[in-house]
């Protein structure tokens, strides 16, 4: 396995990580990234297989768990109940209960609401130059999730602030100030949602939170802490990834001169997800000794699954650095895979295929106002701003 070194906060890498991924992938299915001190799966076949390999998982082996610093304790108290971080049997129970409330019927019914919201946001945009991230990309997913949960829409800016502070814990640039902000956000977010859980227990509505409270499997219901963490997960994951996908996608479509319409929305969105995904790395722990792609993993070893590299694998997509919505559809790794395949994938796709055609139809003459820059967010990959002229 060849070793590579590149800081994930290096400005050149932040703006374009794909050449580095190409270098690693050319060396084989696995490459060792010195800056993370772990092997990385970089080919589509390796990433896809390891996402589904039950010998690897998200949860730290119990005997290898480390003490949590006191200032991080509030954040990890929330994470302790996150199905994103858990393995069976807890993950199975939590995901099953969530899926009973987060049904495809309920998601599909949101289409008209998403369309109405997209039109409203465009109506509210000023003439001339506008930054589409705060004006369009950020409000749509967070307002939709807030409505789903039954949280007041006017809370959206605060939810965004809490979410941004919490997901900072997953970024390579994380420092003490970000850790303190994440802990504070976790506490405030939890306290806010606890009040809503108490209200919905007494007076259920037709919102997702009420349905999560009512969901039951084999006599088991979600505890209050599980409900709070699940709502935070849905808000954070549902907002962060969709905002970046929407922003990256609009940038790409404008740069490539590709129009997105109701008729071509589905294949265009799939190519957007492949071409410039919102999340570039997921990590897994080995749960036993595993031989994979020429490397011997021991229990507790970590492996990074580079989704951004897998989605540009020339063994799967010809000329993968070219944006081409006419490609034959091959499932990218952007929503993960296996037991942890993104619960919110259908909602994210619906938001994208609904909102983007409306934007490009209503603002048919929009152009980029300069070259958009990516923000220093790795493992995430998204823009600092997306300024356009109408």
């Amino acid at each position: 396995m060849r070793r590579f070194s590149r800081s994930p906060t290096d400005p050149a890498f932040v703006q374009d990580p794909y050449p580095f991924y190409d270098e690693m992938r050319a060396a084989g299915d696995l490459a060792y990234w010195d800056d993370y001190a772990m092997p990385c799966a970089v080919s589509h076949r390796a990433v896809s297989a390891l996402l589904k390999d039950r010998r690897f998982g998200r949860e730290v082996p119990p005997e290898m768990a480390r003490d949590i610093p006191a200032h991080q304790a509030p954040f990890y108290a929330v994470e302790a109940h996150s199905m994103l971080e858990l393995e069976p049997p807890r993950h199975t129970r939590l995901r099953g209960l969530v899926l009973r409330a987060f049904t495809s019927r309920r998601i599909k019914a949101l289409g008209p609401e998403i369309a109405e919201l997209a039109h409203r946001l465009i109506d509210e945009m000023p003439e001339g130059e506008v930054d589409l991230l705060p004006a369009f990309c950020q409000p749509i997913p967070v307002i939709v999730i807030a409505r789903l949960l039954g949280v007041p829409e006017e809370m959206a800016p605060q939810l965004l602030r809490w979410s941004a502070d919490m997901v900072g814990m997953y970024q390579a640039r994380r420092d003490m100030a970000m850790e303190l902000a994440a802990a504070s956000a976790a506490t405030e977010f939890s306290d806010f949602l606890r009040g809503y859980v108490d209200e919905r227990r007494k007076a259920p509505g037709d919102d997702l939170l009420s349905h999560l409270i009512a969901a039951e499997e084999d006599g088991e219901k979600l505890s209050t802490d599980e409900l709070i963490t699940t709502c935070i997960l849905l808000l954070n994951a549902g907002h962060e990834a969709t905002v970046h996908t929407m922003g990256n996608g609009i940038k790409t479509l404008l740069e490539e001169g590709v129009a997105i319409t109701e008729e071509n929305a589905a294949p265009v969105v799939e190519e957007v997800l492949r071409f410039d995904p919102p999340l570039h790395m997921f990590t897994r722990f080995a749960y036993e000794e595993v031989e994979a792609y020429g490397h011997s993993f021991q229990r507790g070893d970590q492996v990074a699954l580079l989704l951004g590299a897998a989605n540009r694998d020339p063994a799967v997509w010809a000329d993968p650095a070219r944006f081409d919505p006419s490609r034959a559809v091959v499932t990218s790794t952007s929503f993960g895979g296996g037991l942890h395949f993104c619960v919110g994938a259908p909602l994210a796709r619906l938001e994208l295929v609904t909102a983007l055609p409306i934007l490009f139809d209503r603002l048919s003459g929009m152009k980029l106002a300069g070259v958009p820059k990516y923000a220093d967010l790795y493992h995430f990959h998204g823009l600092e701003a997306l300024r356009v002229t109408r």
Side-chain angles (χ1 to χ4, degrees):
M1 189 189 329
R2 278 187 55 192
R3 302 179 74 107
F4 294 84
S5 180
R6 180 68 55 85
S7 169
T9 62
D10 175 75
F13 177 86
V14 169
Q15 295 311 312
D16 187 4
Y18 299 107
F20 180 61
Y21 295 157
D22 292 342
E23 287 180 45
M24 290 199 289
R25 197 189 316 101
D29 295 291
L30 295 179
Y32 195 88
W33 194 346
D34 285 331
D35 302 79
Y36 279 99
M38 70 177 77
C40 300
V42 288
S43 67
H44 183 269
R45 72 166 188 163
V47 170
S48 298
L50 292 176
L51 280 168
K52 298 168 186 171
D53 193 328
R54 296 305 307 131
R55 297 173 297 176
F56 294 86
R58 288 286 295 169
E59 205 165 353
V60 183
E63 73 276 13
M64 295 176 178
R66 297 178 180 176
D67 290 336
I68 296 170
H71 73 282
Q72 297 175 16
F75 174 84
Y76 285 107
V78 171
E79 291 289 281
H81 303 288
S82 172
M83 62 182 173
L84 182 63
E85 306 298 335
L86 298 172
E87 293 299 313
R90 284 193 70 196
H91 174 272
T92 307
R93 173 178 160 272
L94 283 171
R95 188 180 178 97
L97 288 168
V98 169
L99 288 175
R100 282 175 179 263
F102 207 54
T103 63
S104 56
R105 178 189 59 80
R106 182 172 295 276
I107 292 167
K108 187 176 180 181
L110 291 170
E113 280 194 56
I114 295 167
E116 179 275 330
L117 178 57
H119 281 293
R120 190 189 90 194
L121 291 169
I122 294 168
D123 289 339
E124 293 172 354
M125 287 181 192
E127 292 296 327
E129 191 172 301
V130 61
D131 183 353
L132 289 179
L133 287 189
F136 192 78
C137 302
Q138 290 174 349
I140 288 175
V142 75
I143 288 173
V144 169
I145 288 285
R147 288 178 178 176
L148 258 178
L149 289 170
V151 174
E153 185 176 319
E154 56 269 24
M155 281 294 298
Q158 180 61 68
L159 297 175
L160 281 170
R161 286 191 288 272
W162 283 330
S163 176
D165 285 343
M166 290 188 72
V167 300
M169 290 292 281
Y170 298 105
Q171 295 172 14
R173 66 189 181 97
R174 164 180 158 183
D175 58 19
M176 175 65 83
M178 293 173 71
E179 291 173 355
L180 291 170
S184 177
T187 299
E188 293 172 12
F189 210 161
S190 297
D191 289 345
F192 167 74
L193 286 170
R194 196 176 302 279
Y196 267 86
V197 169
D198 290 343
E199 285 181 21
R200 290 300 184 276
R201 285 196 192 281
K202 295 171 187 172
D206 191 31
D207 51 76
L208 182 59
L209 182 51
S210 297
H211 286 275
L212 285 170
I213 290 169
E216 188 169 359
E217 189 170 273
D218 297 328
E220 293 264 352
K221 290 193 175 187
L222 291 166
S223 69
T224 298
D225 286 338
E226 289 170 339
L227 280 164
I228 289 169
T229 294
T230 298
C231 291
I232 289 175
L233 174 62
L234 291 172
L235 280 160
N236 289 357
H239 142 255
E240 192 75 15
T242 306
V243 169
H244 296 327
T245 303
M246 201 172 284
N248 297 355
I250 294 168
K251 167 187 176 287
T252 299
L253 293 170
L254 291 175
E255 288 177 338
E256 299 292 328
V258 174
I260 182 169
T261 65
E262 287 185 30
E263 290 71 30
N264 72 2
V268 170
V269 163
E270 290 309 307
E271 180 68 350
V272 162
L273 287 162
R274 178 202 72 83
F275 183 76
D276 203 18
L279 178 65
H280 279 211
M281 178 192 285
F282 257 134
T283 55
R284 295 285 190 273
F285 290 95
Y287 290 148
E288 58 187 76
E289 187 174 331
V290 180
E291 291 287 334
Y293 304 102
H295 181 70
S296 179
F297 290 93
Q298 304 301 310
R299 178 173 169 82
D301 286 352
Q302 276 190 286
V303 60
L305 311 181
L306 298 190
L307 313 182
N311 287 357
R312 295 283 188 103
D313 189 340
V316 179
W317 294 278
D319 194 8
R322 179 169 57 89
F323 183 78
D324 181 9
S326 68
R327 296 178 188 276
V329 176
V330 178
T331 303
S332 72
T333 62
S334 299
F335 287 119
L339 292 181
H340 289 284
F341 182 80
C342 179
V343 166
L347 177 57
R349 284 190 168 105
L350 180 63
E351 289 169 341
L352 293 163
V353 301
T354 303
L356 290 180
I358 291 171
L359 178 73
F360 276 75
D361 177 59
R362 293 280 309 275
L363 303 184
S364 57
M366 71 175 165
K367 294 185 169 118
L368 289 171
V371 179
K373 301 294 183 188
Y374 289 92
D376 183 6
L377 303 171
Y378 203 80
H379 309 161
F380 299 102
H381 183 64
L383 300 170
E384 287 181 351
L386 181 56
R387 303 201 70 82
V388 301
T389 54
R390 298 183 58 177

